[in-house]
Amino acid sequence: MAAEIAEQPSIFSSLYAARSTIAEVAAVIRERAPRFVLFAARGSSDHAAIYAKYLTEILLELPAGLVSASTTTLYGAEPDLRDVLLVTVSQSGGSPDLLEVTASYRRRGALTVAVTNTASSPLNAAAELSVDVSAGVEHAVAATKTYSATLLALYLLIDAIRGGNGEAAANLGELAQVTLDQSAPTVDEAVRRYRFVERVLTTGRGYSYATALEASLKLAETSYLAARAYSGADLLHGPVAAVDGETAVLAITSLGKGGDSLRDALDVVHQRGADVVAVGSASEKVGATLSIAIPETPEEVAPVLEILPVQRLAYGLALARGGDPDSPRGLNKVTRTL
């Protein structure tokens, strides 16, 4: 897991350099002019899909949603899918339910795109178009480099659909290395602070909500913590009542509208005595016990960097708590759901 975390800067640079192949897929999508975009995914890929949903609604100004795979696989629903773009996100491309959804949606008129890290996967064969996230083989069970590379691939795809050239992502490889290097001391401090906690709440807004979701999963699967993610807006609609001095809060806050809107929620949880660790380019601007800063970027690509210190935190906590982050108990690299 540690080695794969360290690979990410070079992966980002290589993926950006190869963006012309993603732009070719985007050109087909643009020509077909879908009116609605749906995403199908599971696990970490589902969090990447949520990030892409924000990109779609904000950058493309198209309605977007997440597919409930069971409506197809269990209930056999057959909606009219003309003028719909389905993007299926799967690191392995091997989950039977996502394969069935993709094949079914294609039969019923949707333009289907597979975004995977396995070019030879059944999912790529089922979809009309495909995007390779090009992260290389990932050996650790917990997704790190495949998750962040998927984020970047989705950004490059959606930006190209709107006619962009990926400019906001041009230096993410360099900034990723800066993030990993400069955040190391504060991540180590966060490991010391969180080593003995049992309950963690993660939160973010806008694009960063996806990072909060992925952070919750990483902490749960590697360190066996009871972790729960909330949008900063939803946090104040009830869950904040459970926050007290025994609660650890991991807040994802980068410069931009999402980070600005999270401040009120963080003020509330800080006042309730929670131990707040903030991660992001706006982490030093909010009420937090510890700030893990990352370089400033355009808000829409911040999640690609935000997740890096979180991955290091999950890895460090797993070791500190006596676990094996490379092989968490009860988990396999490919989860097959129906």
Side-chain angles (χ1 to χ4, degrees), residues 19-29 129 160:
R19 65 192 182 281
S20 60
T21 59
I22 298 177
E24 291 172 3
V25 175
V28 176
I29 296 171
L129 303 169

Side-chain angles (χ1 to χ4, degrees), residues 205-206 254-262 299:
R205 285 207 74 182
S254 287
L255 294 167
K257 295 180 180 178
D260 289 345
S261 67
L262 189 63
E299 186 178 5

Side-chain angles (χ1 to χ4, degrees), residues 73-91:
T73 61
L74 298 183
Y75 295 97
E78 296 189 357
D80 183 349
L81 296 169
R82 289 171 294 179
D83 298 325
V84 169
L85 169 64
L86 174 74
V87 181
T88 305
V89 187
S90 173
Q91 293 150 17

Side-chain angles (χ1 to χ4, degrees), residues 264-308:
D264 288 345
L266 292 184
D267 285 344
V268 172
V269 298
H270 196 62
Q271 290 167 8
R272 293 181 66 86
D275 190 282
V276 180
V277 172
V279 176
S281 56
S283 61
E284 296 176 346
K285 299 179 180 295
V286 299
T289 308
L290 180 67
S291 297
I292 302 175
I294 67 169
E296 181 180 354
T297 65
E299 186 178 5
E300 62 265 28
V301 296
V304 181
L305 298 183
E306 290 168 349
I307 194 60
L308 304 183

Side-chain angles (χ1 to χ4, degrees), residues 100-114:
E100 183 176 342
V101 165
T102 303
S104 175
Y105 274 47
R106 185 174 180 180
R107 287 195 304 269
R108 287 183 274 127
L111 172 59
T112 53
V113 180

Side-chain angles (χ1 to χ4, degrees), residues 15-325:
L15 187 55
Y16 180 77
R19 65 192 182 281
S20 60
T21 59
I22 298 177
E24 291 172 3
V25 175
V28 176
I29 296 171
R30 191 164 58 248
E31 182 179 353
R32 296 278 285 272
R35 292 294 305 137
F36 198 95
V37 184
L38 292 173
F39 294 92
R42 295 286 191 193
S44 288
S45 292
D46 193 50
H47 305 154
I50 289 172
Y51 166 66
K53 180 178 180 293
Y54 276 90
L55 290 172
T56 300
E57 293 178 342
I58 297 168
L59 303 186
L60 300 183
E61 296 185 330
L62 288 176
L66 301 175
V67 168
S68 298
S70 62
T71 61
T72 296
T73 61
L74 298 183
Y75 295 97
E78 296 189 357
D80 183 349
L81 296 169
R82 289 171 294 179
D83 298 325
V84 169
L85 169 64
L86 174 74
V87 181
T88 305
V89 187
S90 173
Q91 293 150 17
S92 69
S95 185
D97 56 348
L98 297 180
L99 178 61
E100 183 176 342
V101 165
T102 303
S104 175
Y105 274 47
R106 185 174 180 180
R107 287 195 304 269
R108 287 183 274 127
L111 172 59
T112 53
V113 180
V115 178
T116 81
N117 192 47
T118 310
S120 61
S121 70
L123 179 61
N124 275 18
E128 184 174 342
L129 303 169
S130 63
V131 170
D132 187 351
V133 306
S134 303
V137 177
E138 188 170 61
H139 297 284
V141 171
T144 54
K145 65 179 184 176
T146 55
Y147 174 74
S148 59
T150 298
L151 294 183
L152 180 52
L154 286 166
Y155 169 74
L156 292 172
L157 176 65
I158 292 168
D159 180 65
I161 292 171
R162 67 168 175 169
N165 61 3
E167 181 181 3
N171 61 345
L172 285 181
E174 175 186 342
L175 293 180
Q177 191 62 60
V178 171
T179 299
L180 289 172
D181 292 343
Q182 294 187 353
S183 67
T186 45
V187 168
D188 289 344
E189 175 61 23
V191 169
R192 289 190 287 270
R193 297 192 70 86
Y194 278 8
R195 180 178 179 181
F196 297 108
V197 303
E198 294 300 330
R199 183 169 48 129
V200 179
L201 184 153
T202 67
T203 187
R205 285 207 74 182
Y207 296 111
S208 297
Y209 177 49
T211 311
L213 290 165
E214 179 64 7
S216 176
L217 175 60
K218 283 292 158 285
L219 293 172
E221 68 182 349
T222 62
S223 305
Y224 315 138
L225 288 166
R228 182 73 182 268
Y230 292 100
S231 159
D234 291 333
L235 181 60
L236 298 180
H237 283 267
V240 72
V243 173
D244 55 26
E246 300 299 314
T247 307
V249 176
L250 183 64
I252 313 300
T253 175
S254 287
L255 294 167
K257 295 180 180 178
D260 289 345
S261 67
L262 189 63
R263 291 180 187 175
D264 288 345
L266 292 184
D267 285 344
V268 172
V269 298
H270 196 62
Q271 290 167 8
R272 293 181 66 86
D275 190 282
V276 180
V277 172
V279 176
S281 56
S283 61
E284 296 176 346
K285 299 179 180 295
V286 299
T289 308
L290 180 67
S291 297
I292 302 175
I294 67 169
E296 181 180 354
T297 65
E299 186 178 5
E300 62 265 28
V301 296
V304 181
L305 298 183
E306 290 168 349
I307 194 60
L308 304 183
V310 172
Q311 293 168 348
R312 281 265 183 87
L313 174 61
Y315 174 79
L317 280 172
L319 293 177
R321 294 163 67 89
D324 180 359

